[in-house]
Amino acid sequence: MTVPAVSPVDYETVRTTLRKFAAVELDDGKEYLVEARLGPLAKREGLAGIAELAMRLRNGAQVELGQRVVEAMTIHETSFFRDWKPFEALRTKFLPELIAARQAERKLVIWSAACSSGQEPYTLAMLFCEYFPQLTNWDIQIHASDISNDILKRAQTGKYSQLEVNRGLPAPLLLKHFGRSGMDFVASDRLQRMISWHQLNLAQAWSPIPKPDIIFMRNVLIYFGESTKREIIERIARFIRPDGSLFLGAGETTVNLSTAFERLAVDGAGSYRLVGANGRKK
């Protein structure tokens, strides 16, 4: 009889750890993911395997080990201009509206939550550079956050492989905004200066982030349980500026989570605004 690589007890330990440190819910039947992602982590930690790793977690291992488990299990799938339509809606509708509303303060704050390896915030920076030259003297702040310190360190370098830039980044923008570093491409100083990076757990405090005009929190809520989703959406409702906009992934919605938001009729953008926002004080 073949012994499973991840026992039921060890699997439940991993699920409990993800829930404790990140409020992330791991569904039934994902043992293969635990094996694929935590096997290499156990090896790096000098452990015999996942069973020993799980035993340390059950025995009250240090917080750092729990964090590394979360980072190993968290998916970091992303690309430049991912899904395109949210960025097009931002360019044609949302940013022009905000620019008109912010003429007095001349400041815009964008939050890219769960930014992974950084393609989303760099895409946002390019969008400003390419289409809104009138904002040169404005205070444009792009705040990028992720739960993983390792992935953030990589994002901060602005360095991407040929394969990564081939995923969604138009050639003219690559030539204009990236330089070569050996076989890789590196984001320009101008793009990098526009972005601030923060290690942040969405289920905990958001204190490093100022009140945003735009929140990109795409393809993140799907990893949380219903109560955590509801809590995050309600916190966004209190946190975002009254006329700001929230962008979620294609498979995500605020329906049944909060009555504070309404979906906007912008094709494929996954955009939401506070109910009655048009009549609110900015």
Side-chain angles (χ1 to χ4, degrees):
M1 180 177 179
T2 302
V3 178
V6 183
S7 73
V9 172
D10 293 344
Y11 189 65
E12 190 57 38
T13 297
V14 173
R15 296 176 77 171
T16 300
T17 299
L18 292 175
R19 198 176 296 121
K20 175 183 177 182
F21 285 94
V24 168
E25 295 291 337
L26 185 63
D27 294 336
D28 293 337
K30 301 291 185 180
E31 286 86 354
Y32 67 95
L33 283 179
V34 172
E35 182 179 2
R37 294 176 183 171
L38 296 190
L41 174 63
K43 186 175 181 179
R44 290 196 300 273
E45 294 290 323
L47 305 177
I50 292 174
E52 186 177 355
L53 177 66
M55 182 178 67
R56 292 203 175 191
L57 293 170
R58 286 194 295 273
N59 291 340
Q62 58 186 356
V63 172
E64 288 79 4
L65 182 59
Q67 180 66 30
R68 286 194 286 274
V69 167
V70 171
E71 293 186 2
M73 288 297 298
T74 304
I75 295 174
H76 297 294
E77 170 61 26
T78 188
S79 61
F80 291 99
F81 290 96
R82 186 179 181 184
D83 302 327
W84 181 256
K85 287 185 177 180
F87 299 101
E88 182 65 8
L90 195 62
R91 180 183 73 85
T92 59
K93 173 179 172 60
F94 295 97
L95 282 178
E97 289 178 356
L98 280 171
I99 290 168
R102 301 289 188 269
Q103 286 295 322
E105 57 191 278
R106 301 172 70 82
K107 175 182 176 180
L108 289 172
V109 176
I110 319 294
W111 179 20
S112 170
C115 68
S116 186
S117 47
Q119 284 91 326
E120 182 173 272
Y122 284 116
T123 296
L124 292 167
M126 282 187 281
L127 197 73
F128 278 104
C129 292
E130 286 296 307
Y131 298 107
F132 300 96
Q134 72 271 34
L135 303 182
T136 301
N137 295 321
W138 282 44
D139 180 11
I140 304 298
Q141 300 181 18
I142 300 172
H143 293 266
S145 70
D146 200 272
I147 195 172
S148 170
N149 268 318
D150 289 342
I151 203 73
L152 278 175
K153 289 176 183 176
R154 187 179 162 226
Q156 285 180 271
T157 69
K159 184 180 290 188
Y160 298 96
S161 67
Q162 182 73 62
L163 178 62
E164 288 171 317
V165 297
N166 284 347
R167 295 189 64 201
L169 184 56
L173 296 186
L174 173 63
L175 293 173
K176 186 172 181 179
H177 295 288
F178 287 78
R180 293 301 298 260
S181 175
M183 298 297 291
D184 296 325
F185 297 85
V186 181
S188 68
D189 290 343
R190 183 183 182 189
L191 294 187
Q192 296 200 40
R193 284 194 300 268
M194 296 176 70
I195 304 170
S196 299
W197 307 91
H198 311 274
Q199 193 280 327
L200 186 147
N201 184 336
L202 289 173
Q204 298 176 2
W206 300 350
S207 53
I209 311 295
K211 290 183 78 68
D213 300 288
I214 296 283
I215 297 177
F216 268 58
M217 195 176 286
R218 303 167 63 224
N219 307 302
V220 183
L221 293 178
I222 54 175
Y223 299 108
F224 296 117
E226 289 300 304
S227 62
T228 304
K229 290 179 186 179
R230 189 171 295 108
E231 179 184 345
I232 288 174
I233 292 296
E234 291 292 352
R235 287 174 69 190
I236 291 172
R238 298 189 298 269
F239 186 55
I240 196 168
R241 295 203 50 183
D243 58 341
S245 297
L246 167 67
F247 288 81
L248 300 179
E252 298 169 323
T253 180
T254 64
V255 175
N256 297 326
L257 297 177
S258 172
T259 58
F261 285 95
E262 57 185 349
R263 189 182 180 103
L264 301 180
V266 182
D267 182 42
S271 52
Y272 297 80
R273 189 168 284 168
L274 291 170
V275 173
N278 291 337
R280 295 184 180 214
K281 183 180 178 182
K282 308 299 188 289

